[in-house]
Amino acid sequence: MPNWELKNCCDHDQKVFIACVAAFTVVILVLWRTFLLTPFKLITVFLHEASHAIACWLTCGKVEGIQVHANEGGVTQTRGGIYWVILPAGYLGSSFWGMTLILASTNLLTAKIAAGCFIAALIVVLFLAKNWTLRGLCIGFIVFIAVVWLLQEKTTVHILRYVILFIGVMNSLFSVYDIYDDLISRRVHSSDAEKFAEVCPCPCNGFGWGVIWGIISFAFLCGSLYLGLVILS
């Protein structure tokens, strides 16, 4: 039975999990404005746009192209589908994938499955990419994850779980920050939240939806830490 109450927390694996999340968070905050984190920030943008695309496909729409820009912006060109499902999928989807990667890192098998799915997603988006920034990002991370996986299998450098965890933590933190920066601290009339407020019949403006999405995104982050400890208990 799952140890939902986290009795007798924390054992060695749980302590390592907490320590790694804390260490990665510190590293990310220290290096936040450096070029070293740029590829990982762009991967968060990639997952944001990919989530729009998935929502479009799931609601019977067509994805005509995806772009990710070096300035950490992006756009997904869609036709058809359910607009009010596609719009929130970007921010909430990237937060969800961050949580998924964090949880996948708790076990080597699930980390391998996550890495395989990640590579598959990068390959799919590579063929939908409309600019070279996204193409380069896809190719770079396909090679990066493949090399890390090869090291995991053929050498004593067993870092696949930690790479997946780092990407998950980075994605979760950046998603929360992105929602705050784009939707709460400043009003961008072309933002997903403002567009969603226009099509949603609920009496809530873009700022309000930004707050709601921010709370959900932060809940995903907290939930990933709690569930990670439960899985490891």
Side-chain angles (χ1 to χ4, degrees):
M1 293 291 293
N3 181 15
W4 298 112
E5 295 82 13
L6 293 177
K7 295 178 180 177
N8 301 318
C9 184
C10 296
D11 61 20
H12 176 266
D13 289 340
Q14 291 172 316
K15 289 178 181 177
V16 170
F17 176 72
I18 294 171
C20 286
V21 171
F24 290 160
T25 300
V26 171
V27 169
I28 289 167
L29 294 177
V30 170
L31 301 178
W32 187 260
R33 298 190 182 279
T34 70
F35 71 94
L36 296 174
L37 284 187
T38 298
F40 295 97
K41 287 182 178 180
L42 294 181
I43 275 295
T44 301
V45 179
F46 158 81
L47 289 171
H48 176 113
E49 301 304 331
S51 297
H52 281 310
I54 292 170
C56 178
W57 284 322
L58 289 177
T59 56
C60 302
K62 180 181 179 181
V63 178
E64 298 184 332
I66 300 175
Q67 296 182 46
V68 169
H69 304 296
N71 65 355
E72 300 168 17
V75 62
T76 300
Q77 299 164 308
T78 63
R79 184 170 59 188
I82 302 176
Y83 202 41
W84 59 267
V85 174
I86 297 171
L87 284 171
Y91 289 108
L92 299 183
S94 59
S95 300
F96 172 79
W97 296 125
M99 179 183 73
T100 301
L101 291 173
I102 290 173
L103 295 179
S105 72
T106 59
N107 179 276
L108 180 57
L109 176 60
T110 52
K112 289 181 178 179
I113 293 172
C117 292
F118 195 29
I119 290 174
L122 288 165
I123 292 173
V124 170
V125 172
L126 180 60
F127 289 98
L128 292 170
K130 293 295 185 179
N131 67 331
W132 279 105
T133 300
L134 180 54
R135 293 188 188 104
L137 184 72
C138 289
I139 294 170
F141 267 87
I142 289 170
V143 173
F144 173 62
I145 298 297
V147 168
V148 171
W149 198 331
L150 187 63
L151 291 173
Q152 177 76 34
E153 296 294 331
K154 301 297 184 181
T155 72
T156 58
V157 182
H158 298 162
I159 60 171
L160 180 61
R161 286 178 58 192
Y162 300 104
V163 169
I164 294 298
L165 178 58
F166 181 83
I167 295 174
V169 172
M170 175 68 206
N171 197 80
S172 296
L173 291 175
F174 190 65
S175 295
V176 173
Y177 169 80
D178 208 25
I179 290 175
Y180 172 76
D181 186 52
D182 289 351
L183 310 180
I184 299 175
S185 68
R186 56 195 175 96
R187 296 287 295 277
V188 180
H189 293 292
S190 61
S191 71
D192 292 344
E194 292 291 344
K195 293 178 181 177
F196 186 73
E198 294 174 2
V199 300
C200 181
C202 301
C204 192
N205 59 16
F207 175 82
W209 284 115
V211 172
I212 293 170
W213 294 355
I215 292 171
I216 296 173
S217 183
F218 187 70
F220 277 139
L221 174 57
C222 295
S224 67
L225 300 180
Y226 168 69
L227 292 175
L229 291 174
V230 171
I231 292 170
L232 291 169
S233 62

